[in-house]
């Protein structure tokens, strides 16, 4: 069942999403050579808790950390460790915060020092694909109109969109209906209505869209070992322009 949020619920969601976005920004500032992914995770955890919120991901279905930190060919769900970041890495950070009964969810891929032009282009295309999809986040459109816009943009740039994992509704639960794939023909799925909140999250691979989940049952890597990037925001369907909720201004 798709939940439509009222004004009171949306105010709580805005606060949760501001905390989430600030945690993402903090993580991005820490991405530099020599910093471990575990250090970034601890900083994210401590910040979220300092805001009176809880990390959405910690212990979610057994996940052992507060942030998913995925480096280079890791697509999503990278578990923080003692790996020290290296010059040229690209680092995807996915975070969530639970505050006053609601979740925020967002992600971005950050460069570690100087990276290759090819890696930077992958990051840029991934981020822009989100905004291509956002153009269809309006009442009357269907979910797959978002999906189709993302896929079309990504593939026109020579990359592929991950199909094994998708975006989703978000609110009182971290994952709610509807699913929001990053691929598919337009004109399918639920119609968008004001008050719906979606986590739209293109996951874009430099090579094949196929992925492989490692034995830890979390870490998901590209099947061909090529780079992957991730960009996500929680957005609200309004009567007009969509509202990106995961912005940190005014925290």
């Amino acid at each position: 069942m798709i939940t439509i949020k009222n004004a009171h619920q949306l105010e709580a969601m805005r606060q949760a999403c501001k905390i989430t976005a600030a945690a993402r920004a903090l993580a991005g500032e820490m991405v530099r050579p020599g910093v471990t992914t575990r250090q970034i995770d601890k900083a994210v955890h401590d910040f979220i808790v300092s805001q009176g919120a809880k990390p959405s991901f910690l212990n979610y279905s057994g996940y052992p950390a507060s942030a998913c930190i995925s480096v280079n060919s890791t697509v999503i769900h990278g578990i923080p460790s003692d790996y020290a970041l290296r010059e040229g890495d690209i680092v995807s950070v996915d975070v969530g915060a639970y505050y006053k009964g609601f979740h925020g969810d967002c992600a971005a891929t950050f460069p570690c020092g100087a990276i290759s032009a090819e890696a930077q282009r992958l990051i840029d295309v991934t981020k822009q694909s989100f905004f291509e999809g956002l153009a269809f986040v309006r009442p009357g459109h269907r979910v797959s109109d978002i999906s189709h816009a993302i896929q079309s943009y990504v593939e026109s740039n020579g990359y592929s969109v991950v199909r094994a994992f998708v975006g989703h509704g978000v609110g009182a639960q971290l994952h709610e209906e509807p699913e929001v794939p990053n691929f598919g023909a337009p004109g399918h799925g639920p119609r968008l209505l004001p008050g719906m909140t979606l986590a739209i999250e293109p996951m874009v691979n430099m090579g094949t869209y196929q992925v492989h989940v490692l034995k830890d049952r979390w870490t998901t890597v590209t099947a061909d070992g090529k780079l992957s990037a991730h960009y996500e925001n929680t957005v609200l369907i309004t009567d007009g322009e969509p509202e990106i909720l995961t912005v940190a201004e005014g925290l």
Side-chain angles (χ1 to χ4, degrees):
M1 179 176 140
I2 298 172
T3 61
I4 304 296
K5 282 74 175 180
N6 61 35
H8 175 75
Q9 294 169 325
L10 287 172
E11 182 51 38
M13 274 202 76
R14 286 189 180 93
Q15 294 178 60
C17 286
K18 282 183 178 180
I19 295 168
T20 307
R24 173 178 61 183
L26 171 64
E29 291 167 3
M30 292 183 68
V31 172
R32 57 186 181 272
V35 176
T36 70
T37 56
R38 197 186 307 279
Q39 287 173 316
I40 297 174
D41 178 68
K42 184 179 187 305
V44 166
H45 174 275
D46 292 350
F47 172 77
I48 291 173
V49 171
S50 78
Q51 299 300 308
K54 296 180 179 179
S56 298
F57 299 172
L58 185 60
N59 298 319
Y60 181 81
S61 296
Y63 186 73
S66 298
C68 298
I69 306 178
S70 305
V71 182
N72 294 333
S73 62
T74 300
V75 181
I76 51 171
H77 302 160
I79 298 173
S81 70
D82 292 326
Y83 173 79
L85 298 176
R86 301 169 184 170
E87 186 94 10
D89 285 344
I90 64 170
V91 184
S92 298
V93 181
D94 192 354
V95 295
Y98 182 69
Y99 185 73
K100 293 187 177 179
F102 289 90
H103 294 272
D105 191 4
C106 65
T109 302
F110 301 97
C112 184
I115 64 173
S116 69
E118 294 85 356
Q120 186 61 58
R121 182 171 179 269
L122 175 67
I123 292 173
D124 293 343
V125 168
T126 301
K127 182 174 182 177
Q128 183 58 35
S129 74
F130 165 86
F131 289 97
E132 297 293 322
L134 188 69
F136 292 87
V137 180
R138 296 171 182 275
H141 283 296
R142 292 185 180 273
V143 166
S144 77
D145 297 336
I146 303 170
S147 312
H148 180 71
I150 291 171
Q151 181 182 18
S152 297
Y153 182 77
V154 168
E155 293 182 352
S156 73
N157 279 279
Y159 301 135
S160 62
V161 289
V162 171
R163 303 188 180 203
F165 297 89
V166 298
H168 51 91
V170 60
Q173 303 297 321
L174 181 58
H175 293 93
E176 299 183 349
E177 294 182 17
E179 289 191 342
V180 186
N182 297 304
F183 63 95
H188 298 278
R191 287 198 182 276
L192 303 180
L193 299 171
M196 291 172 60
T197 47
L198 305 176
I200 299 172
E201 53 176 321
M203 293 154 272
V204 178
N205 295 347
M206 192 171 280
T208 178
Y209 68 80
Q210 295 177 326
V211 299
H212 176 64
V213 180
L214 301 186
K215 290 182 180 179
D216 63 22
R217 299 172 63 188
W218 286 106
T219 307
T220 302
V221 300
T222 57
D224 57 10
K226 294 185 178 180
L227 296 178
S228 184
H230 187 191
Y231 189 75
E232 174 185 24
N233 281 304
T234 299
V235 302
L236 167 67
I237 292 93
T238 73
D239 289 322
E241 294 283 333
E243 180 183 348
I244 299 177
L245 299 180
T246 37
V247 291
E249 289 83 353
L251 182 67

